[in-house]
Amino acid sequence: LPLYARLRHSEQQKVFKPHRGRRVVLSTNVAETSITVPGIRYVVDTGLARISRYSPASKVQRLPIEAISQASANQRKGRCGRIAPGTCIRLYSEADFCGRPEFTDPEIKRTNLAAVILRMCALQLGEVDQFPFLDQPERGAINEGYRLLAELGALTTEKKLTAIGLALSRLPIDPRYGRMIVEASRRSCLRELLI
């Protein structure tokens, strides 16, 4: 049985229904959520996952396949044996496991900060580099976010929101896509762009 977020609800529910015999659940990073599938006795862990990362060079949010952290591997192991004893089979060596980072990088360090900066400006939370994040983003990532927002016409040179920036801050999407929507609306071709 497949199990992933975009699967229809009725298909996802098959995993949780009582059954006789064996059942194999093929999932992506469901194992790293708090979901508990009853009756799981074995977990086979590839040690890999698609992890969202922003590439400043190409200016694209990517989903490269990477080795997971020790914490993620332990989360995966925790999916078996919840109700009865279980076994986790890792398809990588113990030395490989020990050489991995203890935790996955926080998302604030892996994403384009333009949307964060835009939202902070709209909510008047002050300068991003002064905000007390639990994990402070890198200065280069902050500069890149400001540069993109200036390029989109969302911020003035004094880092103040423009009318376009205010409109973008109300859209729950990437500022680049939001800018296309705002401009399409202005040019009376919004329906065509939304397709």
Side-chain angles (χ1 to χ4, degrees), residues 79-110:
R79 296 304 100 196
C80 63
R82 302 283 283 184
I83 299 168
T87 303
C88 178
I89 300 164
R90 291 186 170 141
L91 303 181
Y92 47 98
S93 70
E94 185 176 356
D96 184 359
F97 173 81
C98 292
R100 292 174 183 224
E102 193 174 353
F103 299 101
T104 307
D105 292 338
E107 190 166 357
I108 193 86
K109 294 189 173 212
R110 296 183 282 116

Short mmCIF file of all heavy atoms in Angstrom, two decimals, residues 79-110:
data_model
loop_
_atom_site.label_atom_id
_atom_site.label_comp_id
_atom_site.label_asym_id
_atom_site.label_seq_id
_atom_site.Cartn_x
_atom_site.Cartn_y
_atom_site.Cartn_z
N ARG A 79 9.13 3.94 14.07
CA ARG A 79 7.82 3.59 13.50
C ARG A 79 7.50 2.11 13.69
O ARG A 79 6.36 1.72 13.64
CB ARG A 79 7.76 3.89 12.00
CG ARG A 79 7.90 5.35 11.63
CD ARG A 79 6.89 6.22 12.31
NE ARG A 79 7.49 6.89 13.46
CZ ARG A 79 6.83 7.47 14.43
NH1 ARG A 79 5.54 7.50 14.43
NH2 ARG A 79 7.45 8.04 15.42
N CYS A 80 8.52 1.27 13.90
CA CYS A 80 8.25 -0.15 14.14
C CYS A 80 8.32 -0.42 15.63
O CYS A 80 9.00 0.29 16.37
CB CYS A 80 9.22 -1.05 13.38
SG CYS A 80 10.94 -0.88 13.88
N GLY A 81 7.60 -1.42 16.06
CA GLY A 81 7.64 -1.77 17.47
C GLY A 81 6.87 -0.82 18.35
O GLY A 81 7.11 -0.76 19.55
N ARG A 82 5.94 -0.06 17.80
CA ARG A 82 5.15 0.86 18.62
C ARG A 82 4.18 0.10 19.52
O ARG A 82 3.95 0.47 20.64
CB ARG A 82 4.35 1.81 17.73
CG ARG A 82 5.16 2.63 16.77
CD ARG A 82 5.86 3.76 17.42
NE ARG A 82 4.95 4.85 17.70
CZ ARG A 82 5.33 6.00 18.20
NH1 ARG A 82 6.59 6.21 18.47
NH2 ARG A 82 4.47 6.94 18.44
N ILE A 83 3.61 -0.98 18.96
CA ILE A 83 2.61 -1.74 19.69
C ILE A 83 3.19 -3.08 20.16
O ILE A 83 2.81 -3.60 21.20
CB ILE A 83 1.37 -1.95 18.79
CG1 ILE A 83 0.78 -0.58 18.45
CG2 ILE A 83 0.33 -2.82 19.47
CD1 ILE A 83 -0.24 -0.58 17.37
N ALA A 84 4.11 -3.62 19.40
CA ALA A 84 4.78 -4.89 19.74
C ALA A 84 6.24 -4.77 19.29
O ALA A 84 6.59 -3.85 18.57
CB ALA A 84 4.08 -6.03 19.02
N PRO A 85 7.11 -5.71 19.71
CA PRO A 85 8.52 -5.63 19.30
C PRO A 85 8.67 -5.55 17.78
O PRO A 85 7.89 -6.14 17.04
CB PRO A 85 9.12 -6.94 19.83
CG PRO A 85 8.23 -7.33 20.95
CD PRO A 85 6.85 -6.86 20.57
N GLY A 86 9.65 -4.77 17.33
CA GLY A 86 9.87 -4.59 15.90
C GLY A 86 11.34 -4.55 15.55
O GLY A 86 12.20 -4.51 16.43
N THR A 87 11.63 -4.54 14.24
CA THR A 87 13.01 -4.54 13.74
C THR A 87 13.16 -3.47 12.67
O THR A 87 12.31 -3.34 11.80
CB THR A 87 13.34 -5.91 13.12
OG1 THR A 87 13.13 -6.92 14.10
CG2 THR A 87 14.78 -5.96 12.64
N CYS A 88 14.26 -2.71 12.75
CA CYS A 88 14.58 -1.72 11.72
C CYS A 88 15.80 -2.22 10.96
O CYS A 88 16.83 -2.54 11.56
CB CYS A 88 14.88 -0.38 12.35
SG CYS A 88 15.34 0.89 11.15
N ILE A 89 15.67 -2.30 9.64
CA ILE A 89 16.79 -2.73 8.79
C ILE A 89 17.28 -1.49 8.05
O ILE A 89 16.55 -0.92 7.24
CB ILE A 89 16.33 -3.81 7.79
CG1 ILE A 89 15.79 -5.02 8.56
CG2 ILE A 89 17.48 -4.19 6.86
CD1 ILE A 89 14.97 -5.96 7.71
N ARG A 90 18.50 -1.08 8.35
CA ARG A 90 19.07 0.09 7.68
C ARG A 90 19.94 -0.39 6.53
O ARG A 90 20.78 -1.26 6.70
CB ARG A 90 19.90 0.91 8.68
CG ARG A 90 19.03 1.57 9.72
CD ARG A 90 19.82 2.50 10.60
NE ARG A 90 18.91 3.28 11.43
CZ ARG A 90 19.14 3.59 12.69
NH1 ARG A 90 20.26 3.23 13.27
NH2 ARG A 90 18.25 4.29 13.37
N LEU A 91 19.73 0.22 5.37
CA LEU A 91 20.48 -0.17 4.18
C LEU A 91 21.78 0.64 4.05
O LEU A 91 22.17 1.03 2.96
CB LEU A 91 19.61 -0.01 2.93
CG LEU A 91 18.30 -0.79 2.93
CD1 LEU A 91 17.54 -0.57 1.63
CD2 LEU A 91 18.57 -2.28 3.14
N TYR A 92 22.42 0.90 5.18
CA TYR A 92 23.70 1.59 5.22
C TYR A 92 24.42 1.15 6.49
O TYR A 92 23.80 0.63 7.42
CB TYR A 92 23.54 3.11 5.16
CG TYR A 92 22.50 3.68 6.09
CD1 TYR A 92 22.85 4.23 7.31
CD2 TYR A 92 21.14 3.66 5.76
CE1 TYR A 92 21.91 4.74 8.18
CE2 TYR A 92 20.19 4.17 6.62
CZ TYR A 92 20.57 4.71 7.83
OH TYR A 92 19.62 5.21 8.69
N SER A 93 25.71 1.37 6.52
CA SER A 93 26.53 0.85 7.62
C SER A 93 26.40 1.69 8.89
O SER A 93 25.99 2.86 8.85
CB SER A 93 28.00 0.80 7.19
OG SER A 93 28.50 2.13 7.07
N GLU A 94 26.83 1.10 10.00
CA GLU A 94 26.83 1.83 11.27
C GLU A 94 27.83 2.99 11.21
O GLU A 94 27.58 4.07 11.74
CB GLU A 94 27.19 0.88 12.41
CG GLU A 94 27.08 1.55 13.77
CD GLU A 94 27.32 0.60 14.92
OE1 GLU A 94 27.50 -0.61 14.70
OE2 GLU A 94 27.34 1.08 16.07
N ALA A 95 28.96 2.77 10.50
CA ALA A 95 29.95 3.84 10.35
C ALA A 95 29.34 5.02 9.58
O ALA A 95 29.57 6.18 9.91
CB ALA A 95 31.19 3.32 9.63
N ASP A 96 28.55 4.71 8.54
CA ASP A 96 27.85 5.74 7.77
C ASP A 96 26.89 6.50 8.69
O ASP A 96 26.86 7.73 8.69
CB ASP A 96 27.10 5.11 6.60
CG ASP A 96 26.43 6.12 5.69
OD1 ASP A 96 26.51 7.34 5.95
OD2 ASP A 96 25.80 5.68 4.70
N PHE A 97 26.12 5.76 9.49
CA PHE A 97 25.18 6.37 10.43
C PHE A 97 25.91 7.32 11.38
O PHE A 97 25.48 8.45 11.59
CB PHE A 97 24.44 5.28 11.21
CG PHE A 97 23.57 5.83 12.32
CD1 PHE A 97 22.32 6.34 12.05
CD2 PHE A 97 24.02 5.85 13.63
CE1 PHE A 97 21.52 6.85 13.06
CE2 PHE A 97 23.24 6.35 14.65
CZ PHE A 97 21.98 6.86 14.36
N CYS A 98 27.01 6.86 11.96
CA CYS A 98 27.76 7.66 12.93
C CYS A 98 28.40 8.90 12.31
O CYS A 98 28.65 9.89 12.99
CB CYS A 98 28.82 6.80 13.62
SG CYS A 98 28.11 5.53 14.68
N GLY A 99 28.67 8.84 11.00
CA GLY A 99 29.28 9.97 10.30
C GLY A 99 28.28 11.03 9.85
O GLY A 99 28.66 12.10 9.37
N ARG A 100 26.99 10.76 10.01
CA ARG A 100 25.95 11.71 9.58
C ARG A 100 25.76 12.78 10.64
O ARG A 100 26.03 12.56 11.82
CB ARG A 100 24.64 10.96 9.36
CG ARG A 100 24.71 10.03 8.17
CD ARG A 100 23.47 9.18 8.05
NE ARG A 100 23.65 8.26 6.93
CZ ARG A 100 22.73 8.00 6.03
NH1 ARG A 100 21.55 8.55 6.12
NH2 ARG A 100 22.97 7.17 5.06
N PRO A 101 25.25 13.96 10.24
CA PRO A 101 24.98 15.00 11.24
C PRO A 101 23.93 14.51 12.23
O PRO A 101 23.07 13.70 11.87
CB PRO A 101 24.47 16.19 10.42
CG PRO A 101 24.17 15.68 9.07
CD PRO A 101 24.91 14.39 8.89
N GLU A 102 24.01 15.02 13.44
CA GLU A 102 23.07 14.58 14.48
C GLU A 102 21.63 14.99 14.15
O GLU A 102 20.70 14.23 14.36
CB GLU A 102 23.50 15.15 15.83
CG GLU A 102 22.79 14.51 16.99
CD GLU A 102 23.32 14.98 18.34
OE1 GLU A 102 24.33 15.70 18.39
OE2 GLU A 102 22.69 14.62 19.34
N PHE A 103 21.46 16.22 13.62
CA PHE A 103 20.13 16.73 13.30
C PHE A 103 20.10 17.30 11.89
O PHE A 103 21.13 17.72 11.36
CB PHE A 103 19.72 17.84 14.29
CG PHE A 103 19.64 17.36 15.70
CD1 PHE A 103 20.66 17.64 16.60
CD2 PHE A 103 18.56 16.62 16.15
CE1 PHE A 103 20.60 17.20 17.91
CE2 PHE A 103 18.49 16.17 17.46
CZ PHE A 103 19.52 16.46 18.34
N THR A 104 18.91 17.34 11.29
CA THR A 104 18.71 17.97 9.99
C THR A 104 18.82 19.48 10.16
O THR A 104 18.35 20.02 11.17
CB THR A 104 17.31 17.61 9.44
OG1 THR A 104 17.17 16.19 9.46
CG2 THR A 104 17.11 18.13 8.03
N ASP A 105 19.42 20.16 9.18
CA ASP A 105 19.49 21.63 9.24
C ASP A 105 18.08 22.20 9.36
O ASP A 105 17.17 21.75 8.67
CB ASP A 105 20.12 22.20 7.96
CG ASP A 105 21.58 21.86 7.81
OD1 ASP A 105 22.22 21.57 8.81
OD2 ASP A 105 22.06 21.89 6.65
N PRO A 106 17.89 23.23 10.21
CA PRO A 106 16.56 23.85 10.32
C PRO A 106 16.16 24.45 8.97
O PRO A 106 17.01 24.90 8.20
CB PRO A 106 16.76 24.96 11.35
CG PRO A 106 18.07 24.70 11.99
CD PRO A 106 18.87 23.84 11.08
N GLU A 107 14.86 24.47 8.70
CA GLU A 107 14.38 24.94 7.40
C GLU A 107 14.76 26.40 7.14
O GLU A 107 15.00 26.78 6.00
CB GLU A 107 12.86 24.78 7.29
CG GLU A 107 12.38 25.04 5.89
CD GLU A 107 10.97 24.57 5.63
OE1 GLU A 107 10.35 23.98 6.52
OE2 GLU A 107 10.49 24.82 4.51
N ILE A 108 14.84 27.22 8.18
CA ILE A 108 15.20 28.63 7.99
C ILE A 108 16.59 28.76 7.36
O ILE A 108 16.90 29.75 6.72
CB ILE A 108 15.14 29.41 9.34
CG1 ILE A 108 15.19 30.92 9.12
CG2 ILE A 108 16.26 29.00 10.28
CD1 ILE A 108 13.89 31.55 8.86
N LYS A 109 17.43 27.73 7.49
CA LYS A 109 18.76 27.76 6.90
C LYS A 109 18.80 27.08 5.53
O LYS A 109 19.83 27.04 4.89
CB LYS A 109 19.77 27.08 7.84
CG LYS A 109 19.96 27.84 9.12
CD LYS A 109 21.09 27.30 9.93
CE LYS A 109 21.35 28.21 11.11
NZ LYS A 109 22.72 28.26 11.51
N ARG A 110 17.64 26.54 5.10
CA ARG A 110 17.60 25.82 3.82
C ARG A 110 16.66 26.45 2.81
O ARG A 110 16.43 25.90 1.76
CB ARG A 110 17.13 24.37 4.06
CG ARG A 110 18.04 23.54 4.90
CD ARG A 110 17.56 22.10 5.02
NE ARG A 110 16.47 21.94 5.98
CZ ARG A 110 15.23 21.55 5.67
NH1 ARG A 110 14.89 21.28 4.44
NH2 ARG A 110 14.31 21.43 6.61
#
